[in-house]
Amino acid sequence: MNRFKLLVFKIITVVIVPLLILLAVEGGLRLVGFGYNTNVFVEEKGMVRNNWPFSFKYFPWSVARPMKSLQFTAKKAPGSLRIFVLGGSAARGYPAEEFGISSQIQIMLEQAYPGRKIEVINAAITAVNSHVVLPIAKACLHYDPDFLMVYLGNNEVVGPYGAGTFYSGFSNKLTLIRLSQSIKSLRLYQLLVVLTGRHKSPTGSWKGMESYLDNTLYEDDERLESVYENFDRNLGDLISAAADGDCPVILSTIGVNLLDSPPFASIKSDHADAQYQLGRVNLETGKTEEALVAFKKARDMDGLRF
């Protein structure tokens, strides 16, 4: 056997045959109905609804956060105005969704355009960040939105693939993060998750912010730079995808109550809590600008970066 034939044989044996076996197993699992669809939405008979298992790509099954139950027509009615609201718990309106940003936008637009059908579709999910919002935005673009409203930013560190997350590994390589999302859509991967018990959360149930207490992370942590870079790239890709679909995007950072929200974790020598108390003292003595500076420092020094 000459060298060329030997090389071809090795490629077939080492690469092609295992790949064909994996494809056969994947196809067989789908054929027998094992596993779940990880698309953002499910469409049937002209209606679109949210797909619960989409979240399983980002969370252990026992703590997966669902999108708010929603349903809308795949084809937008003529003359109607359709807006998707994207983001985390702040965008969703948690814990009082009736007072959230989606409801406010709905009411204001109905008052501004009384003769027009207004659809404000809340596609936000609690505890997610831009790694999750990007594929949601791309899915929304298939349904002829007039705008995408992105209300996002506070979960980049503690959300999926962030440096402070407790339920998924951190990575500073965006390519690897996106590859892992694709792999998690495979039925073969889902089978391995079940067989190894990885679908179960170590904590057993969702405990909100309490779940992050063992994952403090401070402003001098070099991993934060990767978090910021990934956020920038995800937003850029979202805007580019929307531009390709001729859909305007409204970006908004999240309003934060610095005065009434003390630091969650303050254990280093340069205490976040000390800055917060300094801000309160400055405010009480009429030093408003100095108070704002101190409150911002307290936020930035916080070990739990919500």
Side-chain angles (χ1 to χ4, degrees):
M1 184 179 294
N2 60 37
R3 290 184 178 180
F4 176 74
K5 290 183 178 179
L6 181 61
L7 178 61
V8 172
F9 176 77
K10 288 181 178 180
I11 292 175
I12 292 175
T13 304
V14 177
V15 179
I16 297 180
V17 171
L19 182 60
L20 290 175
I21 293 174
L22 290 176
L23 289 174
V25 174
E26 177 71 16
L29 290 172
R30 290 175 181 264
L31 187 63
V32 300
F34 177 84
Y36 47 85
N37 177 0
T38 59
N39 292 339
V40 177
F41 300 119
V42 175
E43 185 175 336
E44 185 177 0
K45 297 181 180 180
M47 298 300 297
V48 182
R49 61 176 174 81
N50 61 298
N51 183 34
W52 160 271
F54 166 73
S55 298
F56 292 167
K57 292 198 295 183
Y58 308 98
F59 300 90
W61 292 4
S62 60
V63 297
R65 313 310 301 151
M67 185 182 293
K68 179 182 178 181
S69 295
L70 55 85
Q71 183 171 285
F72 57 92
T73 58
K75 186 176 182 180
K76 186 175 64 176
S80 65
L81 181 64
R82 176 173 285 180
I83 299 171
F84 287 94
V85 174
L86 310 174
S89 55
R92 178 168 172 168
Y94 181 85
E97 295 174 8
E98 63 272 22
F99 299 106
I101 190 172
S102 295
S103 298
Q104 296 181 43
I105 294 173
Q106 180 83 36
I107 292 172
M108 288 189 290
L109 289 176
E110 287 176 346
Q111 292 177 345
Y113 303 98
R116 193 173 184 182
K117 180 180 179 181
I118 306 296
E119 292 181 287
V120 181
I121 301 171
N122 191 339
I125 302 177
T126 300
V128 304
N129 54 20
S130 63
H131 295 298
V132 187
V133 169
L134 176 59
I136 295 176
K138 290 181 176 179
C140 293
L141 290 170
H142 291 293
Y143 298 103
D144 195 21
D146 294 281
F147 293 95
L148 297 181
M149 173 67 193
V150 181
Y151 193 51
L152 189 65
N154 281 8
N155 292 340
E156 292 305 305
V157 173
V158 297
Y161 307 106
T165 184
F166 75 96
Y167 43 77
S168 61
F170 168 70
S171 175
N172 59 358
K173 302 295 184 183
L174 192 56
T175 302
L176 294 180
I177 291 175
R178 294 180 180 178
L179 177 61
S180 72
Q181 292 176 2
S182 299
I183 291 174
K184 290 176 181 179
S185 297
L186 299 175
R187 302 300 196 271
L188 182 57
Y189 174 85
Q190 296 168 15
L191 175 62
L192 293 175
V193 168
V194 173
L195 293 177
T196 58
R198 291 173 55 196
H199 58 298
K200 299 177 181 178
S201 168
T203 57
S205 62
W206 177 256
K207 297 181 180 180
M209 291 182 176
E210 183 182 346
S211 304
Y212 299 86
L213 289 176
D214 294 330
N215 285 27
T216 54
L217 181 139
Y218 293 91
E219 62 175 346
D220 58 353
D221 194 305
E222 60 183 16
R223 293 175 295 171
L224 288 176
E225 194 59 38
S226 296
V227 173
Y228 302 147
E229 291 175 359
N230 288 342
F231 185 37
D232 181 66
R233 287 184 58 188
N234 284 335
L235 283 183
D237 290 346
L238 187 157
I239 293 169
S240 295
D244 292 340
D246 196 27
C247 176
V249 178
I250 301 172
L251 295 178
S252 177
T253 190
I254 298 173
V256 177
N257 187 341
L258 299 177
L259 172 61
D260 298 317
S261 182
F264 295 101
S266 177
I267 58 176
K268 300 191 74 176
S269 59
D270 202 3
H271 288 295
D273 191 58
Q275 288 294 328
Y276 176 77
Q277 296 301 333
L278 176 60
R280 294 296 297 262
V281 171
N282 284 334
L283 190 63
E284 290 176 3
T285 56
K287 300 177 181 178
T288 307
E289 293 184 4
E290 291 89 339
L292 182 57
V293 170
F295 285 139
K296 287 183 176 180
K297 285 184 178 180
R299 174 199 61 195
D300 295 340
M301 293 176 178
D302 197 344
L304 289 175
R305 305 181 73 85
F306 296 110

